[in-house]
Amino acid sequence: MRAPRDSARHAGVLAALALAACAPAGPLLPWAAEPMPAAPTPATGPATPEQVELGRLLFHDPVMSSDRLVACVTCHGQVWGLSDGLPQSIGVGGVGPAGTGRTGPTHTRRNAQTIWNAAYRETLFHDGRAGSLEAQVLVPLEDITELGRDPGELEAELRTIPAYVALFAAAFPDEAEPVSTLIAARAIAAFERTLLSDRAPYDQYLRGDERALSEGARQGMFLFADAGCADCHAPPLFESARFENVGVPPLDGIEDRGRAEVTGDPADEGRFRVPTLRNLRETAPYLHTGAAPTMADAIRAHGAALGGTALGGAALQDDEVDAIVLFLSKALTDKSREPRRPLTVPSGLEVPVDGYRVPR
Amino acid sequence: MRITAAIAISLPIALLGACSSDGGDTPPGLCAATLAPGADDQTTLQAAFIGATTGDRLCLRAGTFRFTDELSLTVHGITLVGVEDTVLDFAGQVAGGNGMNITGDDFTAENFTLKNAPGDGIRVSGASNVTFRGLDVSWDAGSVTANGAYAIYPVTCEGVLVEDCDVAGASDAGIYVGQSTNIIVRNNKVHGNVAGIEIENSTNAEVHDNEAYDNTSGILVFNLPDLPVGDGHTTLVHHNIIRDNNRENFAGGGVVAAVPHGTGVIILANDNVEFRNNTVTGNISTGFAVASYKVLEPNPDDPDFDAYPETVYVHDNMFSDNGSDPQGLFLLSRTAPLEDMIWDGYFDANKVDTDGSLKICIKNNGAATFRNVDWPNNFATQSTDVAPHACEHPAIPPVTLAF
């Protein structure tokens, strides 16, 4: 019963793929070939290596938190795709290593976003309330469910740590008073701008290496396009600066108006920024609520409200969802610039534990 | 179909021109690129990795390549092959968590030496069909804590083959396969590591014909909580020689830091493990330990985590001279010497095991001795009677890889 329908639905893809074998030029794509653009240069100009290194240390340093246990990396860890493996993040007061075992008295309203390719974004957070990475950094710093740190107190403490005083001075030699919370945010933003994912097999395929994508992944790519996914998760970034409501149910007891909280526009009620799908495979659970444990769940959760992810007027079948998952997980993964964790940080506090070598 | 055919015809012709053959300094066969050590090996290899095309065979000539940073490879289908005297030396590495960081599918590393990686040696993550063949991975400093944690390190992979490798000095596990499925580890020599071979949170693994000696522990089959992929099961361990794993633990941290030296094999919280036809000798704590994760953490937070080892079958092994001088956690039993095989005595009281399918079964191990140390009752009622474990489980079939 399924076979005829499948073959009819996939006929276009298969015919296109077959044609490609004879066509002389370029990889076959369901959209116009467009390579990854260069990331925009921030208003403050390109960062120096000293600024990036300072940012990396601050990113991993629990001096940033009020309980001196949590750092940026707690919710943006390497093992969890620069997210945290939790539906909602658990910041200060939490117990246990970063990741799925972590528990705590409070949590954020929304799922932690990956910071891969944050360099490309000019609106940050699910509701787009920050206009730059520098501005974004300051929000979790003060949020009582995240780092819970008073910026003034942080600044005062950083000035008492000789190693930081030297690192700030070397990284920002033109500043009269280099050690400040605002400049720490600039350093962390500089570090985050190095977290680029642009060498995935999809990019390789785009450059003409046709075998970079398996036949299954290519089928998934065409289904991804046919189902309308690419309209919002637009290649080559597989995200867009749009705010959409795809019908994700709100969580019990959590009020979240989405973009409308920023614009005040009733039309923006329940709309959220279209996130990147690059390096998606390790960032489960998915959606802004974290309610989808797997990519397949997330794909199916889009749907009715959009009217776009259905194919030919019917919901995606399991094998079609699987093909799209294969495309997303295989074709869009590039962790070659994964940041390394410092063994020690200038505050002398312990770098939050994460990953496969969790001390217990 | 037609695409594959077109490539099959055109590719060898394209590559023939790049092929060279000058004696034993260059790998035989077709090479998409042949790389030789020079003034800036970091740039040479990284550029080759970035510029590679799917299916390329990258050849490394004899000599020592020196690196200052991690090498990363995202392209699928790459074979990296050296000759006997090809050495990749990461002693000067100042950045990056691994010597090599691979995410491309169908990756093969073959026939070279990798040494002195300050972090992990070769990490391959999220890839399908990964082969490590004929690699030597070591650290010039010997077995010290400052060495990298893992030498050969596939994680979240599907289809892993590790064969004919010699791995020494890893401060965690020499050959570590984590959160992966369909795995063969065979014909390797692992020595001077904390753990020789570790299969962790992985499913369907076969570990055979390896020699593990002079490690802190020879072979570990572990399930740990709080990892992205959990609930590993089905591991067949056979025809290995596991001897004299009595090196003091030099791990920098992590679970393996708790492993007592002198332990031949540990099955921790893993289900469906068959251990047969192995030779286990001269390990001073014990030859073979089966334990619940509860010995490390009485109440793991992870609600989905099964802390108990179940369906373990130990049969037709040769045990000798184990347990002469128990170390670390084994001292809690206040018994010395200890037996060849130790069970901590934990089982899941919430499960009904009417048909015995979850039991630890022990059969036909010659004169091998056994002890239940009764950890749950603070070692009060220990027993050396193996009769309660006289049972069998179905044989685990060998692993077949699709590549």
Side-chain angles (χ1 to χ4, degrees):
Chain A
M1 177 168 152
R2 266 173 67 173
R5 184 181 170 215
D6 278 354
S7 45
R9 280 147 68 94
H10 296 181
V13 176
L14 295 175
L17 290 174
L19 269 173
C22 313
L28 187 68
L29 289 161
W31 44 65
E34 185 189 342
M36 279 289 272
T41 306
T44 48
T48 65
E50 289 80 8
Q51 291 167 355
V52 171
E53 174 61 6
L54 173 60
R56 183 179 74 97
L57 293 170
L58 289 165
F59 184 86
H60 291 85
D61 195 334
V63 76
M64 300 291 287
S65 72
S66 56
D67 73 356
R68 312 181 78 72
L69 295 170
V70 178
C72 309
V73 74
T74 304
C75 301
H76 300 286
Q78 286 85 342
V79 165
W80 316 96
L82 304 186
S83 176
D84 65 3
L86 295 164
Q88 295 94 32
S89 299
I90 297 169
V92 291
V95 177
T100 54
R102 190 171 167 81
T103 54
T106 60
H107 60 76
T108 56
R109 282 195 304 168
R110 301 171 184 152
N111 183 250
Q113 291 182 284
T114 182
I115 53 173
W116 280 114
N117 287 347
Y120 289 97
R121 275 159 231 154
E122 282 162 354
T123 49
L124 295 112
F125 294 112
H126 287 290
D127 57 18
R129 67 189 183 279
S132 72
L133 267 173
E134 285 79 357
Q136 185 277 334
V137 169
L138 298 169
V139 177
L141 179 69
E142 290 192 70
D143 189 314
I144 53 162
T145 66
E146 297 184 56
L147 295 161
R149 188 74 152 123
D150 179 87
E153 288 175 16
L154 171 66
E155 190 164 293
E157 181 168 359
L158 289 174
R159 286 176 184 168
T160 68
I161 301 171
Y164 268 132
V165 173
L167 286 163
F168 274 87
F172 296 95
D174 299 336
E175 299 288 335
E177 176 44 87
V179 189
S180 76
T181 297
L182 285 176
I183 289 178
R186 275 179 61 188
I188 292 171
F191 164 70
E192 292 187 83
R193 286 196 180 90
T194 66
L195 307 176
L196 302 177
S197 180
D198 59 2
R199 280 162 43 186
Y202 171 78
D203 304 298
Q204 182 82 8
Y205 181 79
L206 214 59
R207 288 200 301 272
D209 182 353
E210 296 200 359
R211 288 189 298 163
L213 301 190
S214 67
E215 197 171 322
R218 271 178 292 173
Q219 276 187 17
M221 174 170 68
F222 277 85
L223 284 164
F224 179 86
D226 288 351
C229 311
D231 299 348
C232 293
H233 300 280
L237 284 160
F238 293 90
E239 62 176 278
S240 59
R242 292 164 54 176
F243 295 83
E244 297 293 343
N245 182 349
V246 299
V248 177
L251 295 172
D252 284 349
I254 294 182
E255 195 198 340
D256 193 344
R257 299 172 55 214
R259 181 64 173 164
E261 292 180 11
V262 178
T263 62
D265 183 347
D268 286 333
E269 202 76 34
R271 289 175 183 252
F272 296 87
R273 193 183 187 283
V274 178
T276 184
L277 303 182
R278 283 183 177 260
N279 280 355
L280 191 67
R281 62 178 287 161
E282 290 178 340
T283 65
Y286 302 103
L287 307 173
H288 71 268
T289 58
T294 67
M295 280 190 225
D297 295 326
I299 292 168
R300 291 194 186 93
H302 291 59
L306 261 187
T309 52
L311 199 59
L316 288 168
Q317 292 184 347
D318 287 352
D319 59 340
E320 293 163 341
V321 171
D322 290 348
I324 293 174
V325 169
L326 182 73
F327 167 66
L328 296 175
S329 57
K330 285 294 186 184
L332 299 185
T333 297
D334 161 31
K335 300 187 297 172
S336 56
R337 293 186 191 80
E338 189 170 71
R340 72 200 154 102
R341 298 170 81 86
L343 295 175
T344 58
V345 285
S347 68
L349 296 167
E350 200 175 324
V351 178
V353 293
D354 185 14
Y356 310 109
R357 277 170 285 160
V358 180
R360 289 168 203 281
Chain B
M1 206 62 184
R2 294 170 67 181
I3 295 171
T4 315
I7 288 165
I9 294 161
S10 65
L11 199 68
I13 297 167
L15 290 179
L16 268 171
C19 183
S20 65
S21 61
D22 39 348
D25 281 358
T26 305
L30 299 167
C31 302
T34 301
L35 308 169
D40 187 357
D41 298 326
Q42 185 71 42
T43 302
T44 304
L45 255 76
Q46 189 58 68
F49 284 1
I50 291 172
T53 297
T54 305
D56 277 358
R57 190 163 179 271
L58 304 178
C59 299
L60 303 171
R61 296 188 62 161
T64 299
F65 296 79
R66 297 178 200 282
F67 303 101
T68 55
D69 199 348
E70 183 172 277
L71 294 168
S72 64
L73 174 64
T74 62
V75 181
H76 291 324
I78 297 301
T79 295
L80 188 63
V81 57
V83 294
E84 190 180 347
D85 296 324
T86 301
V87 178
L88 276 54
D89 189 343
F90 289 83
Q93 187 179 355
V94 293
N98 314 276
M100 279 190 241
N101 187 6
I102 316 287
T103 55
D105 290 345
D106 303 302
F107 171 73
T108 299
E110 192 169 332
N111 204 22
F112 58 81
T113 295
L114 187 153
K115 65 180 190 177
N116 299 329
D120 304 309
I122 306 186
R123 178 187 183 204
V124 183
S125 62
S128 300
N129 307 338
V130 185
T131 303
F132 305 85
R133 180 181 294 122
L135 303 181
D136 279 14
V137 188
S138 65
W139 284 263
D140 287 345
S143 302
V144 298
T145 306
N147 291 351
Y150 305 123
I152 291 176
Y153 181 18
V155 62
T156 56
C157 289
E158 298 166 21
V160 175
L161 174 61
V162 185
E163 64 181 3
D164 304 321
C165 296
D166 187 311
V167 179
S171 67
D172 194 307
I175 296 173
Y176 170 97
V177 183
Q179 305 179 64
S180 297
T181 52
N182 296 341
I183 299 143
I184 296 177
V185 178
R186 66 187 176 202
N187 305 325
N188 301 286
K189 247 182 215 177
V190 288
H191 50 104
N193 306 287
V194 175
I197 296 170
E198 180 173 0
I199 307 294
E200 182 179 293
N201 290 36
S202 289
T203 296
N204 203 27
E206 183 181 5
V207 178
H208 70 93
D209 293 288
N210 301 284
E211 187 174 5
Y213 60 94
D214 192 26
N215 305 287
T216 299
S217 183
I219 297 178
L220 307 178
V221 182
F222 275 20
N223 258 11
L224 300 178
D226 302 333
L227 290 172
V229 178
D231 202 25
H233 61 84
T234 310
T235 302
L236 171 60
V237 182
H238 66 96
H239 291 100
N240 300 284
I241 297 171
I242 301 146
R243 62 172 174 90
D244 305 315
N245 291 291
N246 300 325
R247 179 172 289 276
E248 291 236 18
N249 196 317
F250 61 99
V255 174
V256 294
V259 170
H261 69 273
T263 314
V265 177
I266 305 176
I267 311 298
L268 183 80
N270 212 287
D271 293 352
N272 199 25
V273 179
E274 184 178 4
F275 185 80
R276 63 170 170 86
N277 303 104
N278 298 284
T279 301
V280 186
T281 183
N283 304 289
I284 61 172
S285 282
T286 188
F288 183 90
V290 185
S292 161
Y293 186 75
K294 283 176 168 288
V295 305
L296 297 180
E297 192 176 333
N299 297 300
D301 299 326
D302 186 343
D304 299 325
F305 180 62
D306 170 11
Y308 304 93
E310 289 159 350
T311 321
V312 176
Y313 188 21
V314 187
H315 65 98
D316 296 290
N317 299 286
M318 290 258 294
F319 285 92
S320 61
D321 299 322
N322 299 296
S324 59
D325 184 14
Q327 303 290 322
L329 289 172
F330 291 108
L331 294 171
L332 293 172
S333 70
R334 292 182 220 92
T335 306
L338 270 178
E339 283 67 16
D340 291 307
M341 290 176 270
I342 299 295
W343 177 42
D344 65 358
Y346 274 107
F347 61 93
D348 192 343
N350 295 322
K351 284 184 190 155
V352 182
D353 186 23
T354 43
D355 61 355
S357 63
L358 303 181
K359 286 181 70 166
I360 314 295
C361 292
I362 301 174
K363 188 184 171 188
N364 201 19
N365 296 291
T369 54
F370 165 82
R371 177 179 294 265
N372 169 2
V373 297
D374 195 25
W375 195 309
N377 300 308
N378 202 21
F379 311 96
T381 314
Q382 301 189 30
S383 166
T384 56
D385 182 7
V386 75
H389 300 276
C391 52
E392 294 179 17
H393 291 304
I396 295 175
V399 172
T400 309
L401 295 173
F403 58 97

